[in-house]
Amino acid sequence: MSCNPSIGGLAKGTLVREVDALDGLMGKAADAAGIQFRMLNASKGPAVRGPRAQMDRKLYKQHMQQLLAAVPGLEIVDGAVTNVLLEANHGGNATTSKAIAGVMLASGEHITCKSVVITTGTFLRGVVHVGSKTKAAGRLPSSDTENRSDRTAEASTSSSSACLTDKADAIAAAAAGTLAQTLSDAGFSLGRLKTGTPPRLAADTIDFSQLEHQPGDQNPLPFSFMHMGGPGWRPASRQVSCFGTRTTAATEAWVNECVASGRGAKFGADMLGVTQGGCIEPRYCPSLETKFRRFPNRTHHVWLEPEGLDSNVIYPNGISNSMEEEDQLQMLKTIPGLEEAVMLVPAYAVEYDYVDPRELQATLETKRIQGLYLAGQINGTTGYEEAAAQGLVAGANAAIPEEPLIISRSEGYTGVLLDDLINRGTAEPYRMLSARAEFRLSLRPDNADCRLTPLGLQLGLVDPHRAATFAARSTEIAHIHQTLQQVALPTHIWRRHGLPGRPDGGKASLADMLHKPDTTLEQ
């Protein structure tokens, strides 16, 4: 989790449920590592609600590694892929002249295979900007934050294990330059996008007494359908609160002064092989500089999110920027509660290459190279959830291309996401929104298993345990539907209980009553 320590949200939570319905691991890991669960838009209709949870970064990583280790037949190789190996295409898709032959590791080792899924995130020729300072990378090493945190400093010793961990983390943060050049040489249309992340703050230097308290839901709901069978599911981890503050007029004045003076990062799209884009940042997750330019004379929410139960690191969601480090320190002093906050790591921006997703088929296989699949930010999307949905589809199709997994717009948000990408492309980081889905009334987060698990069963993606759980849940749902249709009462009985009944005075079933506005099952 290289950015926000959370999973889900509006529309994004539906994607997580869809990944889980197809037996992906994201929902299970999130349920195990979640330290605050909330249903966004809970007061609105079920079609636009969004399950969201704060994660403990360390727990999420641990549980994901455990889940991956338990996957039958999966071999995990610890190494950095520097390039793909190609060969002449002697069969299969006759429209491509090249086919995948394997991958090359930084060690020089070759791994031969017929299918490769590239999920480079922000690392494809990535450049990190901390103000005017730049570095070829897809992110800053996470150990930079951990080693500066007061509470974790004792754990970050000079021991050999700690040094190995830091070295591996630094390797994982490096930019993928050779791979970008290979894609460009193969004729792929590349663009340039930008994203950013806020500074990390020391929790014990923040004045929480000034801040808005935001607890989680009293009765939290899990992401995974595997955890919905029994009554009273509770998160495995201790639950914590988030806190809210806002920018001020002084914040806006300072940021505008820094921008006007020319201080801060400079971006461009003059990279070799880049033919479109222009370091465009996410429209729905803009930097602080962009917020004040686009929405002047307003204050903006800043949500302080803990990064873990035993971590002293706070993620201040809402103040992503690429200002100079000393300017960021001054900016923090203008925000209530953060006047004395210690900045562990400064905010920074990342610019990176992406491939025009119109280069892809519906399976996420590229049209130019047989056996090469792309998923995540390399396709122009933004967010863990969008990447997970693409990764599942690409992985399933790379494994068994003869039986493709294709999800239509009417079947899931995943289908909307992929259809938008491969047919329309994107010139800015694409974020999933419920407004993009014309079938959103039926594509709810609570029925993702009913929509997609049968497809997963048909293609062999779902293991026997989930199949049995889904069968039991389907039987229960069918029984409830039957009961709602069969139980019918005269209008005068309904009116006696404060409900309208039918205008003609005839009988109305429970299902009929639930169709009426403001009528709930509890009533």
Side-chain angles (χ1 to χ4, degrees):
M1 305 184 76
S2 57
C3 193
N4 196 329
S6 70
I7 295 292
L10 299 178
K12 291 172 174 282
T14 304
L15 287 174
V16 179
R17 290 273 178 85
E18 292 183 357
V19 168
D20 182 76
L22 290 168
D23 221 6
L25 302 180
M26 188 180 227
K28 289 181 180 179
D31 287 349
I35 56 178
Q36 189 201 73
F37 289 78
R38 296 183 66 230
M39 182 63 74
L40 306 185
N41 275 355
S43 62
K44 298 184 179 180
V48 293
R49 294 173 189 165
R52 184 184 188 274
Q54 289 297 131
M55 295 293 112
D56 181 304
R57 285 189 192 274
K58 184 167 67 176
L59 287 177
Y60 186 83
K61 180 179 179 180
Q62 289 175 354
H63 285 291
M64 185 59 79
Q65 289 176 334
Q66 291 171 4
L67 289 168
L68 288 170
V71 175
L74 176 64
E75 180 182 358
I76 300 175
V77 178
D78 186 3
V81 173
T82 58
N83 212 342
V84 292
L85 305 175
L86 303 177
E87 63 183 6
N89 182 18
H90 297 297
N93 185 353
T95 63
T96 61
S97 60
K98 297 289 185 180
I100 283 291
V103 296
M104 179 189 299
L105 302 186
S107 63
E109 179 185 357
H110 288 190
I111 299 177
T112 59
C113 58
K114 292 298 182 183
S115 298
V116 168
V117 182
I118 296 181
T119 59
T120 46
T122 59
F123 295 80
L124 197 64
R125 207 150 39 184
V127 176
V128 166
H129 296 260
V130 182
S132 56
K133 299 175 183 176
T134 62
K135 177 182 180 180
R139 62 170 171 81
L140 292 182
S142 56
S143 57
D144 285 5
T145 307
E146 296 164 0
N147 293 346
R148 297 187 198 183
S149 173
D150 292 339
R151 197 165 296 178
T152 58
E154 293 181 1
S156 302
T157 65
S158 58
S159 66
S160 59
S161 61
C163 289
L164 287 172
T165 300
D166 289 351
K167 182 179 179 181
D169 186 40
I171 292 173
T178 305
L179 186 58
Q181 190 59 51
T182 297
L183 293 173
S184 178
D185 292 344
F188 286 96
S189 175
L190 301 182
R192 196 82 172 153
L193 296 176
K194 175 174 94 73
T195 189
T197 192
R200 305 305 193 268
L201 309 178
D204 54 11
T205 63
I206 295 173
D207 182 4
F208 290 98
S209 66
Q210 300 185 48
L211 308 183
E212 175 188 347
H213 179 229
Q214 186 189 65
D217 291 343
Q218 288 190 341
N219 298 304
L221 293 175
F223 280 108
S224 178
F225 290 100
M226 298 299 290
H227 301 148
M228 295 183 186
W233 175 85
R234 301 300 301 176
S237 302
R238 175 170 58 87
Q239 300 297 283
V240 300
S241 292
C242 294
F243 293 85
T245 183
R246 300 189 75 93
T247 62
T248 62
T251 313
E252 181 174 4
W254 177 248
V255 171
N256 288 341
E257 178 182 333
C258 293
V259 171
S261 70
R263 301 198 298 272
K266 302 292 187 296
F267 304 98
D270 55 352
M271 305 291 286
L272 181 64
V274 174
T275 57
Q276 62 174 325
C279 292
I280 300 172
E281 67 182 16
R283 180 193 302 250
Y284 303 102
C285 187
S287 65
L288 198 57
E289 299 96 319
T290 300
K291 284 182 180 179
F292 288 133
R293 175 175 54 81
R294 205 183 286 170
F295 308 106
N297 305 315
R298 298 188 192 179
T299 63
H300 300 276
H301 256 122
V302 182
W303 295 108
L304 303 181
E305 303 172 348
E307 295 209 348
L309 296 176
D310 61 353
S311 172
N312 191 40
V313 181
I314 291 292
Y315 179 98
N317 193 341
I319 54 172
S320 167
N321 68 85
S322 54
M323 298 160 59
E324 300 292 349
E325 188 168 348
E326 58 271 22
D327 290 339
Q328 294 184 39
L329 288 168
Q330 185 62 37
M331 177 269 294
L332 291 174
K333 296 181 184 299
T334 68
I335 299 176
L338 306 185
E339 296 91 345
E340 304 297 327
V342 170
M343 187 168 68
L344 301 173
V345 172
Y348 61 90
V350 187
E351 57 171 312
Y352 56 94
D353 285 358
Y354 78 107
V355 174
D356 185 338
R358 290 172 293 187
E359 299 262 10
L360 304 172
Q361 304 175 49
T363 59
L364 293 183
E365 184 179 17
T366 65
K367 297 174 182 177
R368 293 181 184 272
I369 299 176
Q370 183 178 337
L372 179 62
Y373 296 77
L374 308 181
Q377 284 174 286
I378 191 172
N379 292 338
T381 60
T382 178
Y384 307 136
E385 302 80 6
E386 289 87 346
Q390 293 172 73
L392 190 146
V393 172
N397 289 322
I400 312 179
E402 302 82 16
E403 300 180 50
L405 169 62
I406 297 177
I407 301 171
S408 70
R409 297 182 71 93
S410 63
E411 291 176 311
Y413 274 37
T414 302
V416 175
L417 165 69
L418 299 184
D419 185 71
D420 281 351
L421 290 175
I422 66 174
N423 288 311
R424 302 178 184 177
T426 184
E428 63 183 34
Y430 179 103
R431 185 197 192 282
M432 192 64 231
L433 303 168
S434 59
R436 300 188 192 273
E438 62 271 34
F439 299 101
R440 58 186 170 273
L441 292 180
S442 59
L443 303 181
R444 307 188 310 271
D446 60 0
N447 68 2
D449 60 334
C450 298
R451 294 185 276 112
L452 295 178
T453 301
L455 180 59
L457 285 166
Q458 177 186 333
L459 297 175
L461 298 175
V462 176
D463 70 17
H465 182 39
R466 182 178 292 273
T469 301
F470 173 69
R473 178 171 152 87
S474 298
T475 300
E476 184 178 1
I477 291 173
H479 174 70
I480 292 172
H481 281 173
Q482 184 179 25
T483 301
L484 291 174
Q485 293 290 348
Q486 289 180 343
V487 176
L489 298 173
T491 294
H492 71 275
I493 300 294
W494 289 119
R495 289 175 177 169
R496 189 183 302 168
H497 291 84
L499 297 170
R502 286 178 50 170
D504 62 3
K507 286 186 175 183
S509 68
L510 291 171
D512 294 332
M513 297 306 297
L514 285 173
H515 286 152
K516 296 182 180 297
D518 302 320
T519 302
T520 65
L521 189 61
E522 289 74 16
Q523 287 177 290

